[in-house]
Amino acid sequence: MSISMEWAMSLLLNNPQSINKIKAEIDANVPEDRLLDEQDLPKLKYLPNVITETLRLYPPVPFLIPHQASENCTVGGYDISKGTMLLVNLWAMHRDPRLWEKPTEFIPERHELKKEEEYMLPFGAGRRKCPGGGIANRVLELTLGTLIQAFEWERVSEEMVDMTEGTGFSIPKVKALEAICKPRDNTIKHSLVLS
Ligand code: HEM
């Protein structure tokens, strides 16, 4: 989940208008004298779309977990013999131009209508689907939301955050994220972080 946090914050720093949208949504729905809490999450519509868009572009398990066909079967028109190992290239599916408009762009708004959600499989699908998907989404929303509610965030320079992807089981960032943050005025006024 830390990898997803790093990608989400990197995407946001390269798209500061999205940080402002999250801030405005939280300020409109959470009293300013306390931090974002689980009870607030159902009221937030934009923040979950930012998480979904992050998991689309940088799925933390880009090939899912290897599966083995337990019977002879057909997948996408291909005959698969019993015992064959199947790897799902989720990274490619999430960026397939036949499924997504402007597939490489960060557009959280695309998830508003939920019309492409069947193509979103960051947690896999079927019986072996990740049982931690619900808690993962909540923790990501709470952590990212709280960081944006309490701090102002900026890139360290005019240069965009380097988004080069590394290789491995997960998708690590080649260059670790560095950012500048300072407490927001309401944080100082209400000692939100220190209380
Ligand atoms: C962003 C966070 C996470 C992502 C992207 C993720 C993704 C995945 C994926 C793709 C699988 C394999 C699904 C398949 O076989 O097709 C998986 C399996 C699994 N995940 Fe997660 N996961 C996340 C967080 C968590 C958390 C927080 C927990 C536990 C609280 C968890 C528990 C599991 C378990 C137990 C399995 C194995 C399920 C099985 O094989 O039956 N995951 N996860």
Side-chain angles (χ1 to χ4, degrees), residues 19-31 34-52 108 111-112 114 137-149:
I19 299 190
N20 291 338
K21 271 184 101 164
I22 296 175
K23 220 185 280 176
E25 182 174 59
I26 293 176
D27 289 350
N29 288 288
V30 181
R34 68 166 173 82
L35 288 174
L36 175 66
D37 200 352
E38 206 176 345
Q39 74 208 17
D40 305 309
L41 295 183
K43 288 179 265 172
L44 306 181
K45 306 295 172 211
Y46 185 71
L47 179 62
N49 291 340
V50 167
I51 303 293
T52 307
H111 302 287
E112 271 164 20
K114 310 268 176 235
N137 273 325
R138 272 183 200 82
V139 169
L140 288 170
E141 285 169 32
L142 274 177
T143 316
L144 191 66
T146 309
L147 286 174
I148 289 173
Q149 181 192 18

Side-chain angles (χ1 to χ4, degrees), residues 1 4 55 59-61 64-65 67 121-125 127-133 135-136 140:
M1 279 201 281
S4 297
L55 295 176
V61 195
L64 297 183
I65 304 286
H67 286 250
L121 300 173
F123 300 105
R127 271 192 288 183
R128 302 304 293 269
K129 185 177 174 177
C130 174
I135 191 168
L140 288 170

Side-chain angles (χ1 to χ4, degrees), residues 41-84:
L41 295 183
K43 288 179 265 172
L44 306 181
K45 306 295 172 211
Y46 185 71
L47 179 62
N49 291 340
V50 167
I51 303 293
T52 307
E53 185 66 344
T54 304
L55 295 176
R56 181 183 74 81
L57 286 166
Y58 302 97
V61 195
F63 273 92
L64 297 183
I65 304 286
H67 286 250
Q68 193 179 38
S70 52
E71 300 293 340
N72 292 337
C73 60
T74 310
V75 178
Y78 293 92
D79 292 328
I80 308 291
S81 313
K82 179 178 175 176
T84 306

Side-chain angles (χ1 to χ4, degrees), residues 120-187:
M120 277 296 305
L121 300 173
F123 300 105
R127 271 192 288 183
R128 302 304 293 269
K129 185 177 174 177
C130 174
I135 191 168
N137 273 325
R138 272 183 200 82
V139 169
L140 288 170
E141 285 169 32
L142 274 177
T143 316
L144 191 66
T146 309
L147 286 174
I148 289 173
Q149 181 192 18
F151 297 97
E152 304 284 359
W153 290 90
E154 268 177 46
R155 296 195 295 264
V156 289
S157 71
E158 291 284 298
E159 248 176 72
M160 300 294 256
V161 175
D162 185 319
M163 302 298 277
T164 312
E165 298 164 27
T167 51
F169 174 78
S170 203
I171 305 185
K173 260 183 112 271
V174 167
K175 200 159 177 245
L177 173 64
E178 285 176 27
I180 299 172
C181 72
K182 62 173 191 207
R184 285 181 72 197
D185 291 345
N186 60 350
T187 311

